Amino acid sequence: MSFLREVQMEDTFGPFAAFQQTLGFVPNLLSAQTLLPHLVEAQAKLEGAVRLRDGAIPRIQKERIFLSIAADRQDAYCAAMESKVLSSLGASDGEIAGLLKDHRDAKLSKLDLASLEFCLKLSSHAPSVCSDDIEALRACGFTDEAILEAVVVTAFAIYRSTLSLGLGPAPDFEPRRLDSSKCDAARKAATHGAPSHDHGVARKKGPYVSAPYLSPKTFAPFANVQKSHGFIPNFFRSQTLRPDLLEAELEAAGRILLAEDVLTRVQKECILLAVSAANLNSYCVAMHCNLLRGLGMPSEKGDQIAVDHNEADLPEPDRAMLDFAVKLGTRSSEFSREDVVKLQTHGFSEEQILECEVVIAFNNFANTLQMGLGIEPDFEPISAFEENKVHLSGAGQALGKSGGEMHFVYTLEDADAGLVSEAQGGKLEAFEELVRRHGELIYRTLTAILGNPADAQDAMQDTLLNAFKHIGGFQGRSKFSTWLVSIARNTALHRLRRGKHFESLDEEDCDENGDIRPRQIRAWQDNPEEQHSKLEIRSLVERGVLALPASYRVVVMLRDIQQLPADEVARQLGLSVPAVKTRLLRGRLMLREWLSPHFTASVKGIAQ
C-alpha cells in the first residue's frame, strides 16, 4: 500500500484502460492517486504525450533517460518499472544493468550518450545548464525539436520520481539493486568537461530553442491561458515548437492547478513559490509572486515566502504545508511516511496531501523546463530573493545532496565567519562579540528609520533577539553584517507600520503649498568637506535625516544610505516605484534645505 488511501477504480476508467493497452499493466503510481481521479487524468495526459509515443527522440531512448534519472535519484519504484518497460522494448539485460550502474557502460551510440548526459546534468544540476550545453547537443546533430523533447522528458522523469518518493507506491515489479555510487558517477560524467559558469563570462541568453509564434486565436489552449493569467507567459511561448507537448502540458496544468475543491489556488501558488525558491528558480519565483499579488496577497508577504516561508505571516498549518513541500521538492530521498503523518496532525486530509504532492511534482516539472530551455523572465526578479539566492559558480561548494538534487552556496569572505560558526554551535560569548562589533551599525540603522533614540533602543532588543533565534539558519549567502542590518530594517519597518507614523504620500501630495515643500534651496560651495571634518559632516547628515518626516526619512534611508534598489524599496514599503521616486526626491530636497544653512554659514564665516 502507498502512504495514502486508494480508491478502487473500474477497468473502464480512461487512463487505466489506456495504460493497460499500451504497457500491459496499470502502474501503482497511478493507483496511488485515485483519491482524486482528475490528478490521475493529468498524469495520464502527460504520459501519453511525453513518454508513450515516438517523437523527435525514439521511445526507447526516452525510457533510457527515465531509467538513468530514476537510478541517479535512488528511486527504486521508477527504476524497477523502467527496467521492465525497457526490456519489453528490446533492451538487453546488459544494457539495463549498465544504465542502472553507469550509463557509460551501456554501449550506447554517441548521439544517445550525449542526450543522456545532458538529461542527467539537467536533472541533478539544473541551475548550471546554459547555452553552451545546448550548443554541444547541436554539434552532435540534435535538432531544436529533439533538444526541446529531451528537456521535457527530463522534466517529466522528475515529475514521476517526485510522486514516487512522495506517495510510496508498492513496486509493480521486482525491485532492482541500485548502487549509490551511481549518483556520483552520473554527476561526474554529466559535468565532465562542462564549461565553467563564472559570472564574468558572457553567454547567450535564452530561450535556447526556436519558438514560432502562436496566437490565442490559432492555438485554442492559449485562449485559456490568456483568460487565467491575463497574458501568455514566456514559459509557454518558449515551447511552441512542439504544440502537441504544450497542449498536453497545459491540460495537465489546468487539472492540477486551477481546481479549488481541495486546496485553494492561493495555497497552491504558495507551494509553487516556496519550492521554486528552494530550487533557485528566479523565473518561477517572479511568476508566482506576481500571480499571488493578482490573487490578493500583499507583495511583501509573497516576497517573504520566497526568501523564507517560516518568517512569513501565514497560519501555522500553512507553514507546515510549505515545510512538507520544500522537503519533498528538494530533499525527496529523505521523505517518508512520517512526513505525511506529521502533516495530518496539522489537520490536512489525505486528499489535500495528495493534491499538495502532485502540485510539488508539477512545480519540479516546470522548474526543470524553465532552466533547461533558458526561458527569460516575464517580470523583474524579486530583489530580496536574488540577494539571498544561492549563487552557482566555480567558487561554490555543495550544501546538500539528496534524491538527485544539489544546492550550492557561494563562498563569501566574511571576517565574522568564525564567530558566526561558534555562535551557531551554541557559544554565547561568540554572539556577544558579534553584537559588540555591529551594535553601533544596528543602532544607527534603527535610529535613522524610526527617528527616535528611545524607539531605536527598544527595536535593538527585538533585532538582537530575532538574530539570536535565527542564527542557526544563517547560511553565509551574504555577509553577517548585511544579514543583521536586514533584520534591523525589517524590525524598524514593522514598528512603523504597527504605529501610526507611516503617512500616506497621496495625502501629502494633495497639499501643494504645505510645509513639506522645500523653500530654502541655497547653493553649496564646492567641497564642503574642506570646512568640516568627516565626523562633523556625518553628524550633520544624520541629524538632517532624523529631522525628515517619517515617510520621507524611511525612503532616504533605504535608498540613499542602505543603497537598496528602488523596486525593492517599493516592495518593502508597499508603494509603487513612482511613489518611491517622488518621496526620495522630496526627501533629498528637504535634507538639502536643512543642511544648506550649515554649509553656507560656515563658508561665509571663512570668507570674512
Side-chain angles (χ1 to χ4, degrees), residues 142 286 324 342 395 424 457 485 523 570 600:
F142 269 75
F324 176 95
K342 182 177 179 181
Q424 288 177 324
Q457 289 176 357
V485 166
T600 55

Side-chain angles (χ1 to χ4, degrees), residues 315-329:
E316 185 60 32
D318 282 355
R319 277 201 293 272
M321 178 184 69
L322 296 186
D323 284 339
F324 176 95
V326 169
K327 184 173 185 180
L328 177 57

Side-chain angles (χ1 to χ4, degrees), residues 541-572:
V541 171
E542 285 183 349
R543 295 207 309 271
V545 170
L546 292 177
L548 295 174
S551 56
Y552 299 111
R553 183 180 66 245
V554 174
V555 174
V556 170
M557 175 67 190
L558 298 182
R559 186 73 183 89
D560 284 345
I561 298 178
Q562 296 200 353
Q563 297 290 298
L564 295 183
D567 60 339
E568 174 61 17
V569 175
R571 265 191 290 271
Q572 292 208 17

Side-chain angles (χ1 to χ4, degrees), residues 120-136:
L120 283 167
K121 179 176 182 179
L122 178 58
S123 170
S124 59
H125 296 278
S128 70
V129 170
C130 70
S131 59
D132 291 355
D133 299 300
I134 305 301
E135 293 305 322

Side-chain angles (χ1 to χ4, degrees), residues 6 15 82 106 179 221 286 306 312 326 411 460 476 488 506 523-524 548 565 589 595:
E6 297 177 12
E82 299 307 340
D179 186 350
V326 169
T411 304
M460 182 89 166
D506 293 336
W524 288 5
L548 295 174
L589 290 174
L595 292 171

